[in-house]
């Protein structure tokens, strides 16, 4: 079997899909994307296609190593996201070729379902209490919210109080056992992160996410000393080498590699295994489309330390098209009692509605994240 064609589709709301075809009629789908850089990643996929065309798609590990090590410059969001989407599509082909879900080809499942959480509040969190109550009524047992708007390196206690009021509203509208993930989104610098982490303890959140930017991960030491809340990070880290120091330093409790950014199923399975050796939990990052979610669920199925999965249904980014719009059978992602079953179909376990993909690709998108500024005119972290 040989790879004969690789085709990319820029589709709304902010995604990039990849279809890989073979001479035996078996095709696979992947989701190589950096939010806000879809066309850049598309170009990277097209460059890598020059190596892959004519190759056997089943030699996944060798292709991964060639795409990564075959270039003098390695890593980073663009290359690793391009590799990630290709890797997903190759695994999809391999599963379909063997008529088995991907997790069976990676040793089999250690779970049949996994807890999921719902996003609430949007970029500038508001009315989160009501949103959490709606999520609970819909059957979710956990939510995630942005903690803050923009914060200066040293900001006011008024901003701290606003965060506490929002989290208090979520806790009051749910119950004591309801999971609350609080995403600092890299918007918070070390001086304020230490204060927030300590003040939030009273609400017993599930975790605080990316309390500082990943380039400032050394600050996690001080934040961990200031608070007993589990610390999660990793969505902006792109390989096992990026995670190596984070894990060995011992200040992270939950890692969040993104299966569309961190080298795909092949690499994220290795990252998950590294984390398990450090007694660190896995909660893959995935505010993306259905292919990315299906790939995450295959990794979750085989990773003992996976405990919850992000998913994008109803997220504020999904304007015009949502998670289920591109799959032929939306029931594959049916959420029951706050959890989703691992797909049992061959490959990724989902069937893409190719007609809808092609129709939406004619519309495309040029999504960019907002550029925020502080009141003094300086650029703020979004």
């Amino acid at each position: 079997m040989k790879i004969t064609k690789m085709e990319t589709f820029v589709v709304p709301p902010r995604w990039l899909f990849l279809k890989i075809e073979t001479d035996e009629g078996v095709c696979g789908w992947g989701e190589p994307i950096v939010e806000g850089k879809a066309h850049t990643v598309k170009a990277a996929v097209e460059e890598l296609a020059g190596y892959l065309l004519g190759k056997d798609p089943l030699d996944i590990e060798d292709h991964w190593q060639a795409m990564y090590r075959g270039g003098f410059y390695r890593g980073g969001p663009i290359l690793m996201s391009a590799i990630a989407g290709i890797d997903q599509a190759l695994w999809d082909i391999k599963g379909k070729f063997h008529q088995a879900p991907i997790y069976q080809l990676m040793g089999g499942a250690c779970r049949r379902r996994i807890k999921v959480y719902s996003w609430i509040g949007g970029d500038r969190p508001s009315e989160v209490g009501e949103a959490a109550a709606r999520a609970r009524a819909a059957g979710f047992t956990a939510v995630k919210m942005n903690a803050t708007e923009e914060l200066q390196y040293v900001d006011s206690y008024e901003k701290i109080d606003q965060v506490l009021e929002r989290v208090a509203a979520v806790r009051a509208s749910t119950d004591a056992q309801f999971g609350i993930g609080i995403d600092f989104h890299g918007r918070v610098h070390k001086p304020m992160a230490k204060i927030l982490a300590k003040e939030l303890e009273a609400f017993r959140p599930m975790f605080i996410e990316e309390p500082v930017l990943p380039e400032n991960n050394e600050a996690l030491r001080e934040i961990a000393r200031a608070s007993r809340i589990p610390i999660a990070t990793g969505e902006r880290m792109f390989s096992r080498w990026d995670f190596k120091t984070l894990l060995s330093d011992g200040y992270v409790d939950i890692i969040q590699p993104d299966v569309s950014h961190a080298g795909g199923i092949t690499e994220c399975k290795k990252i998950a295994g590294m984390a398990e050796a450090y007694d660190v939990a896995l909660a893959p990052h995935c505010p993306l489309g259905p292919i990315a979610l299906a790939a995450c669920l295959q990794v979750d199925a085989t990773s003992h330390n996976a405990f919850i999965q992000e998913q994008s249904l109803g997220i504020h980014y999904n304007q015009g098209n949502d998670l289920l719009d591109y799959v032929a059978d939306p029931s594959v992602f049916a959420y029951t009692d706050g959890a989703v079953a691992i797909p049992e179909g061959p490959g990724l376990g989902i069937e893409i509605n190719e007609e809808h993909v092609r129709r939406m690709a004619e519309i495309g998108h040029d999504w960019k994240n907002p550029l925020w500024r502080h009141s003094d005119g300086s650029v703020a972290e979004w």
Side-chain angles (χ1 to χ4, degrees):
M1 185 162 57
K2 305 296 181 186
I3 296 171
T4 57
K5 186 178 181 180
M6 295 174 60
E7 190 175 6
T8 54
F9 305 90
V10 178
V11 296
R14 55 176 192 159
W15 302 333
L16 175 67
F17 292 167
L18 165 68
K19 182 184 180 185
I20 297 182
E21 299 181 26
T22 70
D23 59 355
E24 295 190 14
V26 183
C27 69
W29 289 86
E31 193 169 334
I33 183 63
V34 172
E35 301 91 301
K37 295 287 188 292
H39 295 275
T40 310
V41 179
K42 180 178 186 291
V45 170
E46 290 166 354
E47 287 184 328
L48 292 168
Y51 163 77
L52 289 160
L53 291 172
K55 299 291 196 305
D56 185 342
L58 302 183
D59 295 334
I60 297 174
E61 182 67 30
D62 185 63
H63 296 327
W64 198 100
Q65 298 294 343
M67 289 186 289
Y68 181 82
R69 299 182 189 275
F72 186 77
Y73 298 100
R74 305 171 180 177
I78 302 303
L79 174 63
M80 297 307 287
S81 297
I83 291 174
I86 292 169
D87 182 82
Q88 293 166 13
L90 294 179
W91 274 108
D92 195 27
I93 290 170
K94 195 178 188 83
K96 291 171 179 174
F97 179 80
H98 290 289
Q99 283 298 296
I102 291 166
Y103 71 76
Q104 289 287 15
L105 306 180
M106 296 195 295
C110 63
R111 62 175 47 80
R112 298 300 171 190
R113 61 206 297 266
I114 190 164
K115 186 175 179 177
V116 293
Y117 62 80
S118 178
W119 258 95
I120 60 170
D123 273 349
R124 294 185 179 276
S126 62
E127 300 179 349
V128 288
E130 295 92 332
R134 289 193 297 272
R136 185 187 184 205
F140 289 98
T141 59
V143 295
K144 187 168 80 175
M145 57 182 281
N146 279 317
T148 72
E149 299 184 355
E150 58 268 56
L151 281 183
Q152 282 280 13
Y153 284 80
V154 177
D155 214 308
S156 68
Y157 278 93
E158 179 184 10
K159 295 275 187 75
I160 299 291
D161 291 340
Q162 290 170 356
V163 175
L164 301 180
E165 289 170 7
R166 286 191 285 266
V167 178
V170 173
R171 180 59 76 208
S173 68
T174 55
D175 60 60
Q177 305 309 315
F178 194 81
I180 307 173
I182 305 172
D183 191 355
F184 287 27
H185 214 253
R187 297 173 182 175
V188 188
H189 299 277
K190 182 176 70 171
M192 304 304 290
K194 290 190 294 182
I195 297 169
L196 259 180
K198 184 174 179 59
E199 294 286 340
L200 285 167
E201 275 190 326
F203 300 104
R204 302 172 72 186
M206 183 168 56
F207 55 76
I208 54 173
E209 177 174 329
E210 217 176 42
V212 291
L213 290 165
E215 52 263 44
N216 298 325
N217 273 344
E218 69 279 356
L220 296 179
R221 178 187 299 108
E222 292 184 54
I223 295 166
R225 289 172 179 165
S227 173
R228 292 168 294 180
I229 301 172
I231 293 173
T233 195
E235 69 186 70
R236 287 188 268 191
M237 301 172 69
F238 308 109
S239 73
R240 76 198 89 148
W241 295 279
D242 287 349
F243 281 90
K244 182 168 63 171
T245 301
L246 177 72
L247 291 167
S248 63
D249 283 349
Y251 299 110
V252 67
D253 303 293
I254 303 161
I255 58 160
Q256 300 171 303
D258 190 308
V259 182
S260 280
H261 299 334
I265 292 170
T266 297
E267 185 72 350
C268 285
K269 174 61 177 170
K270 294 176 182 179
I271 293 167
M274 289 172 59
E276 184 182 355
Y278 284 94
D279 207 22
V280 168
L282 173 71
H285 180 256
C286 190
L288 298 171
I291 302 170
L293 178 57
C296 285
L297 294 175
Q298 300 297 325
V299 174
D300 293 331
T302 66
S303 301
H304 185 265
N305 52 338
F307 84 102
I308 199 166
Q309 177 60 58
E310 181 172 25
Q311 57 80 41
S312 74
L313 186 63
I315 199 171
H316 49 289
Y317 304 120
N318 292 358
Q319 302 298 317
N321 281 95
D322 211 331
L323 176 69
L324 304 179
D325 294 339
Y326 290 99
V327 291
D329 178 12
S331 69
V332 72
F333 295 134
Y335 302 140
T336 305
D337 298 326
V340 65
I342 306 300
E344 295 289 342
L348 289 167
I350 61 172
E351 182 183 349
I352 294 298
N353 183 340
E354 186 170 342
E355 181 182 351
H356 186 67
V357 169
R358 292 186 180 278
R359 186 163 59 248
M360 290 298 101
E362 294 178 2
I363 299 171
H365 72 84
D366 190 27
W367 187 89
K368 297 288 185 289
N369 62 254
L371 177 61
W372 287 0
R373 291 185 182 273
H374 295 294
S375 58
D376 64 4
S378 60
V379 172
E381 298 289 351
W382 168 72

